[in-house]
Structures are given as C-alpha cells and as structure tokens.
Amino acid sequence: MALEAVRSSSTVGLTSAIAARLLVEAGPNELGVKSARPAWRLLLAQFNSPVIWLLLVACVVSALVGEIIDAAAIGTIVIVNGLVGFFQEYRAEKAVLALRAMTAPRARVIRDGRTQVIAAAAVVPGDLLALEAGDVVAADARLLEANVLTAMEAALTGESTPVTKTAKPGDPAAPLAQRSDHVFAGTHIGTGTGLAEIIATGMRTELGRIAEMLTAATDEATPLQARLAVLSRRLMLICLGIVVAVTILGWRQGLTGLDLLLPAISLAVAAVPEGLPAIVTIALAVGMQRMAARHALLRRLTAVETLGCATVICTDKTGTLTTGVMAVREIWGQDHQRVLDTAAACSDAELSADEQGGVGDPTEVAIIVAAAQRDIRRDAIEAERPRVSVYPFDADRKCMSIYRTDGLLYAKGAVEAISARSTTIPDGTEEAASDMAARGLRVLAIAMGRADSEADLELVGLLGIADPPRTEAIDAIALAQAAGIRTVMITGDHKLTAHAIAQEMGILKPGQSADDIVHARATPEDKLRIVREWKSRGEIVAMTGDGVNDAPALREAHIGIAMGQTGTEVTRGAADIVLADDNYATIVAAVEEGRGIFENIRKSTAYLVAGNMAELAVVFVGAALGFPTILLPIHLLWINLVTDGLPALALVTDRGNSSLMTRPPRSASEQILGRPEWRRILLAAAIQTVCVMGVFLWARDARNLEEARNLAFSVLVFGELLRAFSARDPDRPFWEVGLFSNMKLVLIVVVSLLAQLAIHHMPTTQEVFRIGPLSLADCALSLGVGAVPLLILELEKLARRRANAR
C-alpha cells in the first residue's frame, strides 16, 4: 500500500485496522539477521590448510605401513592444533544482533486519535511518532512538528554535535547529517519534543541499510594466512619431489616392499614441519596476551600480525582521534571571566559532581565545565540571580536568552543572530568569528542586555567550541608516520572541522592536498568505498571507529579496530581488535607487537625448515649411496616435535627488536621465507648434514650400523638444539643477543638434551626408537660435533658484518 494512501492526520494517526494491514505488508520493524556460521563449520575450517593436509597424508601413509606410533603422534598434533584454533576464534556473529538491540523496544504513537505505547517492532509506515527528550527513535520518520528538538546522531552519521531538527521540509537528496527535517532509527532525542510520520521501517531504514552492508562485507585471508599457504605449497612440492626421487632410486637399486617404502616415509615425515601450525598459533596467542596487557583485546588470533603489516590506517574522527566530548577551546573578548559568566547564566545544563562533565545539551555542558574551571558555577548563579523569564532556542531565531532578577538578560547564539540584536559590538568580532570557524570551531556569540528583551544587546565575546583531539593520538600518529604508515581521516563531520582537526593532529601538513587523506561528510557507503579503494591499490588497510556508521568499513578492512568504551556494541561486534582504553596510541603498540610476531614466526619457521632440510639431506644422501636407512620415521618425528618443535615455541616468545618501528611496512607479497632466510637455511642444513654424515660414516666403519645410527641421531638432535641460540637473530651472534635473555629457550634446550640422553638408556624407549645406549665418550662426541653448526653460523655472522662494514 502506498504511503500517500494511508497518510495519517497529525491529530488522529492511523486506524488500528490500517496499521494491522500495513504490518502484514511491510513486515515487523526489525533488522534481518544473517545466520552465524555453525560451530561445526568453524571447527572444520581449522583443518583447511596445506600444512594440515600434508600432516594428514603423512598420518595416513604411516598408519597404512604399520607405523602406528608415528600415525598417532601426527594425528594428535593435527587434532590439538585444530581445537586450539577453534576455541581461540570461536565467536558468534553479534554485529547485526547488536544493531537490533540498538532499536527502541517501545514507541509512542498516535493511533485512533490517542497516544499509545506499543512495541517498536509493531510500528508501520504512516504511523505518527510522539518524540521527547531521551527517546530512542523507533524508525525513520519525517518531522511534522518540532519544538526545540535536537537529536544525537553521532553513532549513525559521525556528527559530533547535537543536530537541530525542524519541521521545515529540506532537500531529500542532502547527506544524512544535513536532513534536519528527518529523524532516524536508533538515534537519540537530545532535547525538546516533536511529532513525526514514519516513512521507513526495518531493513528499509538507514540503520537497516548499514545492516545489509555489514552482512555483505567480505572476509579475506589475512597476509599471514596467505604467506603460510604459499610456504606450505612449496614444502609440499619439495616433499613430493624428493619422495618420488628416493622411491625411484630405491626401485632401481632393487628394493621392494617395506625396504622401498621406509625411506620414502622417512622423507615425508622429515619434510613436514609438524611444529609449524603450533608455533604460529602460540606466537599469535602470546601476542594476544601481550596486547591484552596493553588494553587491546583481540577477537581473532591473526589480527595482530595483520596489523603489523598495515600500510594505511583509516580512522574515524569523533571519539577516536578526539575525546568525543565537546569543550570550550577558545574564548575571545576583553574579559574572559565576564564572557563565561554570561554564557553560564544563559544555560540549562547541570554540572556533574566531579565538575568534569554534566547533563544536558553537550554545548551547554562544555560551557558550564569551562566556567567551573574559573570558579563560575551555574547553581550559584541560579541562587543569586533567579530566572524571571526564558526565551528558548529555536531554529528561526538561532539564539536563546534568560532574563534574571538582577535586571540583566543573558543571551547566546549564532554570531549573525546575536550581532543583529546588538548595538554594541567590539571591533574585530567578525574577523575573530571567521578565524574560529575556519579552524573548525563552532562559534557562539555571547551577549548581555539591560531589559527583558532580545534587543539593544551588548556582544561581550565569542566562544569557540569543539570536540578536542586526544593528546596521545597526536603522538601515536607521528609514530605511525615514522613507521611508514599513512593515516587517513574519514568522518561525518563538516569539511572545515575535519581539515582543522587533521592539521592539528599532524595528518594534514601545511600546504598538503587533503585528497585521499581527509574525507568529510562521509556516509557509511563512502567509508566502505574508501576502504575498498585502498585495498584495490594493494594496501593493507586497518579501520578504526566507534559508531554504527563505521561498522561495515571495519568489517571490510583487513583489520577492524573498535573503541571499547565509547564504541557501540555493533562496532565491537564487527571489529577484530577492541581497544579497552579507547587510546589511539594502543593501535601503534599493536602495530609494533604485530611486526615482532611476524619476525618471531619468520625466524622460528626458518629454524624448523633448516632442521627439516638437514633431515631430508641425511636420508636422501644415505639412500643415494645405498646405505640402510640412517634415520627412521620415529627418529625424525621425535626431532621435529621435541628437539625442533619445543625450541621453536620458545623462539616465538622473544621480545621484538627495538628497530621494528623505524622500518617501512612489509610488502603484502613478502614471503615468510625470502632469499636471505633460504640462504641461511641451506647453509645451516649443509653444515648439519656434513656433521651427521661424517659421524655416521666414521662409526659405521669403526663400529657397526646400530652405533652409527645412535651417533647420527644424537648429533642431529644436539646440533638442532644448540642451533636454536643462533636462530634468535639473523645478524647478531648469540652472546650479543644475550644467552639468558630468553630463559624459556635455555630451559627447553637443557631439558631436551636430558630427554635425548634418557631415551637412549630406558628399555621402553630403546625399543620404540630402535636405538641403544650411549657411552659417556659418545655423549661428549655427540655434543661436541653438534656444537659445530652453532659455531660456524656465528662466525659467519661476524664475517658478514665485517664485510658489510668495508
């Protein structure tokens, strides 16, 4: 049914019968909810990784050839890692549900000629809404009557000041923040009363459009997930290639059955870094704990690493860069005390007990707080100079005034309105007002009269009011710029206000074009478009905000950051990171933590892969030379999980290097293992292989195969454990990094060394690992040869440093 056909009378409203029919046609005034991903799908998603697939293949093959212990160990790794990821990431999709919670549960409407209170879900297009201060607007509506009516629309439009509403028809094509003849679902009535005709309900409201954008926003793989996928595919190809080569080699040497399959299985186990999923999960979990201690709550494990490679931070202004509270920032006039006294005497707001805020119109709260700081208090004014008459503000007069018992009239309002009513205006008033406005301040003229009339006034001064920037945010923006991160302001505020704040924050430099850096009067669609444009340029985009209008862009960005205190539940639900202290500086701390996490994952991965390459080389060379299998699958699994995996877990807990925030952001295409890492991996693997093969060949000729295998196994284990100290820094030797600066690593290496010795001397483990005891001399030999890779790698660092210094 067309709205025109049911348009209600401003006194009667709709009939109950028509309202019931419209409710069937239009549906309930509710926001549609997109079904959350079932828990079972979230659990299955944890296994959608090439590394996990590789482990599963190794598990199945091991089971098929009777290596049950190997299969059980690998299967346990896969299951535990999947469960950890599931419980860390399990969260309901609350964003749209929170949007629903924002809507008014009840509404006052006029139906059948009388005012009724009904469920907000039951209002329909054509209903008449009766509005008063404190109401949450139930649906989008066009105003028919407005009496000193203001609305708080910051959460929807980003406009930080109360919006004056009028029944005078406006431009229907105007931006949302400028539609003064409309009120919108989910916003709050600040002052006054009004009557409005509902024009849209449910998903057809502006709030509903945001809900649609929120559910349509895309989730993409994070840079870390993409890099891990590339690394996993490369390792899979290496594994497949070498397994095929060894199988063909064994077949040409006449091997069959288990003798042919055992070296191939050993290689498959050796090639797969079983500890990789665990070290990534632990690295991110450690980052999550560290960020929680610094007031940043991560809702998704990979979020902090993604922020570490951010190149652009798109930030909302109100409540993010600014305090979100209006304040008097500038006073102009000969007597500041008189200006504030006059302004406070023309205010209705109430001061809070701590005198840091108040109740009432935010502009008036700013005035009485500034007055209290100069020992001027409105309650004292009311006691000493009671009111005689009040002339409330309205949109036509653009001013208000209060006449008091001292015979004076106190007035405030727009500069042009007060100037028109004043006979005494100080020189320079117009220039001062223009200068304030040009710097983004809301300018109020303050005046005084000597009769109960808004005529023949004396303009005593001007107040410049604005939402002030957070001081810590200014420092944080400078740190981000030093780290090569571009800050982009996106706000629903006026262009002048946005540019002024951007210049004050250091986002916009003098003479710099605001294009692509400052976006004013931005709608939710604009914010979404801006984020997508930066993403299309290959940038890694973070988006911060606190309002409902920020939620779709937060969801679309690579990483969304919500304010925990001032942010709406909708925004927090759409975000990856929630700042518990609403401190922009915490974002920069998160960037630093994210960069440190990536470096830790990189060095731990390089450490693991170097060990895997050494194992591959030992098995491949042995097979190529026709030797019996040097290292059994169980040996390699023990090395990968215990003597490689545990030190790798300690490596990811290292604190970040102090130079992290002086480097430019990493390229989104930069791989976890680049050329420098592969050079160090191959060098370490080559040294380790030479040491193990040397000991094996010597012991095989001097002793027997069993003792040769014992020594080869132990040399490889000891070498991997000691090499962990070299892996902590690619350029500095371990004594410069500090041997005891990571006590977890020291403890793990010592315990793992003792565990390696123990399995050689316990009957059960001797049987499982098919090894024998080591004499004291063999232990010393294994430890001595195992230390060779560490010493050579550290000497190489010193030689490289000396060569670079020339």
Side-chain angles (χ1 to χ4, degrees):
M1 181 178 292
L3 185 59
E4 289 75 10
V6 297
R7 191 170 297 282
S8 48
S9 164
S10 61
T11 56
V12 177
L14 296 176
T15 65
S16 296
I18 291 177
R21 187 162 66 250
L22 285 172
L23 185 61
V24 173
E25 294 177 4
N29 179 37
E30 296 176 340
L31 298 179
V33 181
K34 182 181 179 181
S35 299
R37 219 172 16 156
W40 63 269
R41 283 192 177 178
L42 184 60
L43 179 60
L44 287 180
Q46 306 302 315
F47 302 96
N48 187 21
S49 160
V51 172
I52 298 297
W53 300 340
L54 203 56
L55 289 174
L56 288 173
V57 170
C59 176
V60 171
V61 172
S62 297
L64 289 176
V65 299
E67 298 290 338
I68 303 301
I69 295 176
D70 293 1
I74 297 174
T76 301
I77 294 166
V78 171
I79 292 171
V80 170
N81 189 76
L83 289 175
V84 169
F86 169 75
F87 285 115
Q88 289 284 0
E89 293 189 6
Y90 179 68
R91 59 184 175 96
E93 295 290 336
K94 294 180 180 178
V96 179
L97 292 176
L99 274 169
R100 173 183 281 181
M102 280 188 61
T103 57
R106 311 289 290 176
R108 276 191 309 279
V109 299
I110 297 176
R111 284 185 183 174
D112 300 318
R114 60 189 179 87
T115 301
Q116 306 176 32
V117 178
I118 64 174
V123 303
V124 296
D127 258 329
L128 294 181
L129 278 179
L131 303 170
E132 63 181 42
D135 284 354
V136 177
V137 181
D140 290 1
R142 180 180 59 84
L143 285 165
L144 303 176
E145 299 174 14
N147 180 30
V148 198
L149 189 68
T150 63
M152 310 295 294
E153 298 180 345
L156 187 65
T157 66
E159 178 65 60
S160 56
T161 58
V163 180
T164 301
K165 295 296 181 178
T166 176
K168 181 180 178 181
D171 181 4
L176 206 62
Q178 297 176 19
R179 296 183 200 171
S180 58
D181 60 332
H182 285 71
V183 289
F184 301 101
T187 62
H188 293 71
I189 300 300
T191 61
T193 60
L195 188 68
E197 183 180 34
I198 293 177
I199 59 173
T201 60
M203 293 299 286
R204 290 175 290 279
T205 63
E206 295 297 328
L207 200 63
R209 290 196 309 109
I210 291 177
E212 286 183 353
M213 286 190 289
L214 195 58
T215 55
T218 57
D219 289 325
E220 298 180 354
T222 67
L224 178 62
Q225 290 169 331
R227 293 185 186 108
L228 285 173
V230 170
L231 176 61
S232 301
R233 285 192 292 270
R234 288 178 179 175
L235 292 176
M236 191 180 292
L237 290 174
I238 292 172
C239 173
L240 183 62
I242 295 180
V243 167
V244 170
V246 169
T247 303
I248 293 173
L249 195 62
W251 175 72
R252 292 186 64 180
Q253 291 174 349
L255 299 178
T256 59
L258 194 58
D259 291 335
L260 179 63
L261 286 177
L262 196 57
I265 295 170
S266 295
L267 280 171
V269 174
V272 179
E274 286 88 352
L276 183 57
I279 68 165
V280 172
T281 301
I282 295 300
L284 297 173
V286 168
M288 178 180 281
Q289 293 170 359
R290 288 177 179 172
M291 289 315 304
R294 300 174 79 167
H295 309 293
L297 309 177
L298 274 70
R299 305 182 70 245
R300 186 163 56 93
L301 269 181
T302 54
V304 70
E305 189 280 331
T306 308
L307 186 60
C309 57
T311 57
V312 173
I313 299 178
C314 295
T315 175
D316 181 46
K317 178 186 75 67
T318 306
T320 306
L321 296 176
T322 64
T323 63
V325 179
M326 303 302 290
V328 175
R329 303 203 63 201
E330 197 165 320
I331 304 172
W332 183 88
Q334 291 184 345
D335 186 343
H336 289 188
Q337 199 80 356
R338 187 184 181 205
V339 174
L340 284 173
D341 181 87
T342 304
C346 186
S347 297
D348 294 318
E350 298 287 342
L351 194 66
S352 63
D354 62 3
E355 300 189 348
Q356 300 301 309
V359 178
D361 180 84
T363 299
E364 290 195 347
V365 170
I367 290 172
I368 63 173
V369 168
Q373 291 169 352
R374 291 177 176 263
D375 207 27
I376 301 169
R377 290 171 176 78
R378 198 182 70 80
D379 55 353
I381 293 174
E382 297 293 346
E384 296 167 4
R385 297 168 268 171
R387 303 176 179 210
V388 176
S389 54
V390 178
Y391 302 93
F393 177 90
D394 67 47
D396 294 326
R397 288 169 42 248
K398 296 184 178 179
C399 66
M400 74 164 287
S401 59
I402 298 176
Y403 184 64
R404 296 187 176 275
T405 56
D406 59 356
L408 297 176
L409 181 123
Y410 302 88
K412 69 178 187 295
V415 176
E416 63 273 17
I418 295 295
S419 296
R421 292 168 171 77
S422 299
T423 54
T424 304
I425 302 175
D427 293 339
T429 299
E430 185 176 347
E431 292 80 3
S434 298
D435 177 63
M436 285 186 184
R439 288 183 282 114
L441 299 177
R442 182 186 181 191
V443 186
L444 282 182
I446 311 300
M448 181 183 292
R450 299 191 177 278
D452 191 1
S453 169
E454 291 179 343
D456 299 325
L457 301 179
E458 175 192 358
L459 196 153
V460 298
L462 305 173
L463 292 180
I465 297 175
D467 179 9
R470 297 174 179 267
T471 54
E472 68 273 14
I474 297 175
D475 296 334
I477 287 170
L479 284 174
Q481 290 172 343
I485 302 169
R486 182 185 287 105
T487 302
V488 176
M489 179 195 287
I490 310 175
T491 178
D493 256 349
H494 191 275
K495 183 177 180 180
L496 278 177
T497 304
H499 284 201
I501 290 290
Q503 288 180 342
E504 188 171 359
M505 304 291 297
I507 296 172
L508 192 60
K509 305 299 182 185
Q512 183 181 7
S513 171
D515 294 344
D516 291 337
I517 298 176
V518 180
H519 301 269
R521 291 300 190 202
T523 65
E525 293 92 342
D526 290 333
K527 296 183 178 186
L528 200 58
R529 174 183 54 79
I530 292 164
V531 169
R532 285 173 175 167
E533 284 179 358
W534 282 110
K535 288 173 66 177
S536 70
R537 299 177 193 177
E539 306 287 351
I540 302 298
V541 182
M543 173 74 192
T544 74
D546 61 350
V548 177
N549 58 329
D550 300 321
L554 259 66
R555 185 69 176 272
E556 178 68 26
H558 290 104
I559 182 153
I561 308 167
M563 303 295 120
Q565 295 179 358
T566 59
T568 63
E569 185 62 29
V570 183
T571 316
R572 292 195 291 267
D576 301 297
I577 295 179
V578 178
L579 303 184
D581 59 356
D582 283 13
N583 192 336
Y584 189 87
T586 304
I587 299 172
V588 178
V591 171
E592 183 175 9
E593 193 68 46
R595 291 186 177 188
I597 284 173
F598 179 80
E599 292 302 319
N600 284 346
I601 291 175
R602 167 176 274 175
K603 68 187 180 187
S604 299
T605 303
Y607 169 74
L608 283 178
V609 173
N612 287 114
M613 292 297 105
E615 297 163 30
L616 278 171
V618 168
V619 175
F620 181 77
V621 170
L625 296 177
F627 297 152
T629 305
I630 298 175
L631 297 172
L632 301 175
I634 190 66
H635 298 160
L636 298 169
L637 194 59
W638 170 263
I639 294 170
N640 288 354
L641 294 181
V642 180
T643 58
D644 278 2
L646 293 180
L649 293 180
L651 286 173
V652 296
T653 66
D654 264 345
R655 288 288 177 180
N657 193 297
S658 59
S659 65
L660 286 173
M661 293 303 286
T662 62
R663 308 173 192 170
R666 297 187 310 275
S667 168
S669 61
E670 181 179 342
Q671 297 304 318
I672 293 177
L673 300 180
R675 284 188 177 182
E677 288 74 36
W678 279 110
R679 183 186 62 81
R680 289 191 291 270
I681 285 169
L682 294 176
L683 175 62
I687 299 168
Q688 193 80 51
T689 303
V690 170
C691 291
V692 172
M693 290 303 300
V695 168
F696 177 82
L697 292 173
W698 170 79
R700 190 199 63 161
D701 293 338
R703 302 184 186 180
N704 55 55
L705 177 61
E706 181 182 346
E707 292 194 31
R709 182 177 284 163
N710 275 355
L711 284 172
F713 181 31
S714 291
V715 166
L716 185 55
V717 167
F718 292 166
E720 290 298 299
L721 289 172
L722 295 176
R723 189 173 57 81
F725 294 109
S726 177
R728 292 188 63 193
D729 194 290
D731 302 310
R732 294 183 297 162
F734 69 85
W735 56 85
E736 290 184 5
V737 175
L739 181 61
F740 300 105
S741 57
N742 186 338
M743 286 305 298
K744 294 187 186 72
L745 179 60
V746 174
L747 181 62
I748 283 174
V749 169
V750 170
V751 170
S752 297
L753 285 171
L754 294 175
Q756 177 65 22
L757 293 175
I759 65 171
H760 278 279
H761 296 89
M762 293 189 297
T764 302
T765 53
Q766 285 178 345
E767 183 178 349
V768 169
F769 286 92
R770 303 174 202 172
I771 54 177
L774 286 177
S775 66
L776 187 60
D778 285 344
C779 290
L781 174 65
S782 299
L783 192 59
V785 178
V788 171
L790 171 64
L791 296 176
I792 294 177
L793 290 172
E794 302 310 89
L795 290 174
E796 186 273 338
K797 291 178 186 177
L798 296 177
R800 182 157 35 92
R801 178 191 298 177
R802 181 172 297 178
N804 292 337
R806 291 175 183 172

